[in-house]
Amino acid sequence: MRKSKIWLFAIIFLLIGILAACGQEEENSSEEGNDEETTNESADLEGVPEALQADEQLEIMVIRKIGGDDHTQQFLAGTQQEGQALGMKVDTFSANGDTTSFHDTISQAINQEYDGLIISHGDDDTTVELIQEARDKGIEVVAFDTNQGALEIDGVTLTSQNDEELATLALDKLVEEHPEANIGYLWVDGFPPMVRRNNVYETVLEENPGINEVKRFGDATDPQTKTQEAVGAWLTELPEGEIDAIFATWDAFAVGATRAITEAGREEIDVYGIDVSNADLQLMQEENSPWKYTAAVDPKLIGEVNVRLLAKKFAGEETPQEASLEPSLISQEELNASGEEVNMETLADVVEGWGESDQFNEDWMTTLREHHSN
């Protein structure tokens, strides 16, 4: 009996030993697998700054004062696409012109301690104060078409379209095609990009005495409708031969002017504008449309470049105080020659280089995009 018990205990201990060995082997195998996974991931992210490799996802918020248009949608889409490609969580908000809502959202984002903010069209002093508050809390900030006062804040980058070049491209065509002309001017003061565009306009008038401004209008609240009404009144007052062209410093103004001219049947008047959207392209391609040229930067690309700058700030890399994006000139003739309707997605097939830029792109960003696409 005693011998059988001894054999029983021996078998039990043997089984326990075998099970323990198997467990240890599994554990070792698991550890090796984890080590291998960690090694592979480290190799996959070689050269990427540590801040962009953190286990905790960086969170950014994009807050835009203006909205309700294609340009805003494309801009926000660009920030989301690039931010997510670089491994960030991206929240967006458009205040649709409501200043109080715009300021409140920035304050909430600061209190929620986002890692970074992209502020768009903050044209007032209160926005500058809020940006300072964000920086005091260590939040990185990039601001597009925003009050120049933000330049005084350490670590902030102000971005813009190259407004001088935008105005130059459109006005050069106007002067080329109408060297002796009476023109209408659509512009509104109070916005940094508008101020820069107006400076170019004033210089062009001085240098081209054959260009004579006969009418001027500008209202940023419901701009398309109010511009259409204003230009409609011009055309009632000014018969054929007394106004030859209109320069619109914003596509919302160009839309209103185009509709008024078309409604009045005044095909002799040409429109030269700035900025572009799907609705703008459709309007330019309509039969007998007066909108001949528009100068623009791809709004989606603007969003992407702003995110790249924010990523460089997270990485601790040097970023400039100011940065601008170079525009392209889009002609009605090119659009119509394409043989099919052109939209924002297919515009690159018509305008060389549209939507493409390596501005502030880094090799490590390419690595990150490849990593997060897997």
Side-chain angles (χ1 to χ4, degrees), residues 83-293:
Q84 290 167 3
L86 296 178
M88 304 176 197
K89 182 180 183 297
V90 185
D91 294 324
T92 64
F93 176 80
S94 170
N96 292 322
D98 186 327
T99 301
T100 300
S101 177
F102 176 66
H103 292 156
D104 286 348
T105 303
I106 297 174
S107 293
Q108 290 167 17
I110 293 170
N111 292 333
Q112 290 169 17
E113 298 184 344
Y114 277 86
D115 298 294
L117 300 177
I118 294 176
I119 307 295
S120 176
H121 292 82
D123 56 311
D124 54 17
D125 292 337
T126 300
T127 301
V128 175
E129 293 168 7
L130 288 167
I131 290 173
Q132 180 66 69
E133 185 180 335
R135 290 297 299 132
D136 290 343
K137 289 196 171 185
I139 298 171
E140 300 293 354
V141 179
V142 175
F144 173 61
D145 275 355
T146 289
N147 191 308
Q148 293 289 107
L151 284 173
E152 304 301 318
I153 303 173
D154 185 51
V156 175
T157 296
L158 257 61
T159 63
S160 66
Q161 302 177 89
N162 188 327
D163 291 292
E164 290 82 3
E165 184 64 15
L166 283 166
T168 299
L169 285 171
L171 284 167
D172 280 354
K173 277 299 176 183
L174 188 155
V175 172
E176 177 187 324
E177 298 183 348
H178 298 276
E180 303 282 336
N182 292 327
I183 70 169
Y185 182 41
L186 299 171
W187 172 78
V188 64
D189 202 355
F191 299 89
M194 290 294 181
V195 172
R196 293 189 288 268
R197 295 169 194 183
N198 183 66
N199 290 339
V200 174
Y201 174 73
E202 296 292 346
T203 299
V204 168
L205 285 188
E206 289 175 11
E207 295 176 350
N208 296 274
I211 305 296
N212 178 39
E213 181 189 309
V214 293
K215 289 290 181 182
R216 176 182 291 215
F217 176 79
D219 192 323
T221 59
D222 194 10
Q224 294 185 15
T225 301
K226 290 187 176 179
T227 301
Q228 184 173 350
E229 292 170 351
V231 174
W234 294 357
L235 302 181
T236 300
E237 180 184 343
L238 301 170
E240 187 172 341
E242 292 192 18
I243 182 167
D244 305 294
I246 290 175
F247 174 49
T249 53
W250 183 17
D251 62 338
F253 292 156
V255 169
T258 297
R259 288 174 178 167
I261 293 168
T262 301
E263 191 175 281
R266 296 288 294 273
E267 296 176 11
E268 81 280 4
I269 303 170
D270 293 333
V271 175
Y272 301 80
I274 290 177
D275 292 334
V276 71
S277 69
N278 278 317
D280 299 343
L281 291 171
Q282 185 176 4
L283 202 55
M284 288 181 73
Q285 293 170 87
E286 288 183 359
E287 188 175 358
N288 298 321
S289 172
W291 195 346
K292 304 302 181 186
Y293 291 90

Side-chain angles (χ1 to χ4, degrees), residues 44-100:
D44 195 25
L45 292 173
E46 187 177 355
V48 174
E50 286 187 16
L52 280 299
Q53 294 190 43
D55 292 334
E56 192 170 339
Q57 192 177 31
L58 290 166
E59 297 185 4
I60 69 173
M61 186 161 193
V62 186
I63 307 168
R64 186 167 167 109
K65 183 174 182 179
I66 63 173
D69 59 346
D70 277 353
H71 194 281
T72 293
Q73 292 172 8
Q74 296 272 336
F75 171 82
L76 296 178
T79 61
Q80 287 181 317
Q81 181 175 304
E82 187 75 324
Q84 290 167 3
L86 296 178
M88 304 176 197
K89 182 180 183 297
V90 185
D91 294 324
T92 64
F93 176 80
S94 170
N96 292 322
D98 186 327
T99 301
T100 300

